[in-house]
Amino acid sequence: MALETLLDAIAEQGWYVWDDFLSLEQVQSLRECVPQDWYRARIGRNDDLLQAKAIRSDRIQWLNSEMGLPVQDYLTRMEQIRCEVNRDFFMGLFEYESHFAQYQVGDFYKKHLDAFRGQENRKLTTVFYLNENWTEADGGELKIYDMDDQLIDTVAPVAGRLVVFLSENFPHEVLPAKAERMSIAGWFRTNGVTESRFDIAH
Ligand code: OGA
Ligand code: MN
């Protein structure tokens, strides 16, 4: 069962690429929920937009269940993962927050960590891709590194693929997109800080 493979991989290496996490049909119905009103992603609680723009240039919209059934189904799948991870690893994951991200041609996200050990409560990152018919010419690959800055994997953002990794352990970057690139980035957190959302630690 695929969920067990994910749990094994998280235990052994801390990251996993799950192909065909959703079917193309499910990806298409999720795409129909993609919002029209995007805003520029920020990078911290006290960020300034100019600084943020040098680090990432994508646009985002936070997921909520009012966006439709496909989004609700997606969040249900994430809830299943949260429960299984907690059961296996006692990680105490408390809630999940996620946003659609749209990268237009030229958009990027420079190398960063989603959380710094001891400072943040993002523990497990998910990234799901919505790009049908992606080819190398479209760019926007996700590069994942270890804490010694050694490249671990280069992941193409192909439709249906889910990437999961420990938020504190894997610096990563998004190479410049050469075609529109759509994803859902999400984080399981250990407690309920909700009033000031931020997109990476700083
Ligand atoms: C992020 C992120 C990776 C991707 O939003 O924090 O690293 O492949 N996204 O979209
Ligand atoms: Mn990230």
Side-chain angles (χ1 to χ4, degrees):
M1 191 185 143
L3 192 49
E4 275 155 26
T5 312
L6 166 72
L7 296 170
D8 288 346
I10 295 297
E12 277 159 31
Q13 58 185 22
W15 63 283
Y16 185 58
V17 177
W18 185 338
D19 281 329
D20 302 314
F21 175 72
L22 295 184
S23 68
L24 274 186
E25 218 170 75
Q26 288 170 307
V27 170
Q28 276 158 9
S29 53
L30 260 178
R31 278 196 76 109
E32 282 162 24
C33 302
V34 164
Q36 300 305 310
D37 51 333
W38 299 96
Y39 51 92
R40 288 209 84 104
R42 304 224 153 209
I43 56 162
R45 287 177 204 271
N46 312 305
D47 72 337
D48 93 53
L49 196 53
L50 218 63
Q51 192 192 333
K53 278 183 183 168
I55 295 170
R56 66 186 298 187
S57 56
D58 58 321
R59 287 170 175 76
I60 65 165
Q61 180 63 260
W62 293 94
L63 259 70
N64 68 69
S65 52
E66 271 134 59
M67 288 171 164
L69 210 56
V71 170
Q72 287 166 28
D73 289 343
Y74 185 81
L75 294 173
T76 301
R77 290 290 299 273
M78 291 302 136
E79 181 62 11
Q80 287 164 355
I81 291 176
R82 188 183 74 83
C83 292
E84 289 299 317
V85 168
N86 278 344
R87 187 168 12 224
D88 264 42
F89 304 130
F90 308 102
M91 271 176 86
L93 302 178
F94 181 83
E95 63 172 8
Y96 181 69
E97 59 178 0
S98 55
H99 63 57
F100 284 106
Q102 180 205 52
Y103 290 71
Q104 293 169 359
V105 174
D107 284 344
F108 58 85
Y109 196 156
K110 296 230 170 110
K111 198 194 285 180
H112 65 280
L113 271 174
D114 286 342
F116 292 132
R117 207 180 289 263
Q119 284 182 13
E120 244 260 69
N121 52 12
R122 286 178 169 179
K123 293 296 171 202
L124 194 66
T125 298
T126 63
V127 193
F128 180 72
Y129 298 114
L130 304 169
N131 309 296
E132 264 181 76
N133 306 315
W134 181 92
T135 69
E136 252 180 81
D138 296 335
E141 291 93 341
L142 173 71
K143 290 193 145 204
I144 304 175
Y145 301 84
D146 66 18
M147 291 306 261
D148 298 320
D149 263 352
Q150 298 300 306
L151 180 66
I152 294 177
D153 202 6
T154 301
V155 182
V158 298
R161 176 173 280 174
L162 180 74
V163 182
V164 183
F165 55 87
L166 296 173
S167 306
E168 297 168 328
N169 298 17
F170 297 95
H172 53 282
E173 68 181 321
V174 178
L175 299 184
K178 295 175 190 157
E180 188 190 70
R181 174 196 198 269
M182 214 68 88
S183 61
I184 301 174
W187 299 271
F188 295 102
R189 318 175 64 109
T190 47
N191 69 37
V193 177
T194 51
E195 75 219 40
S196 78
R197 292 190 141 139
F198 47 103
D199 304 313
I200 64 168
H202 67 293

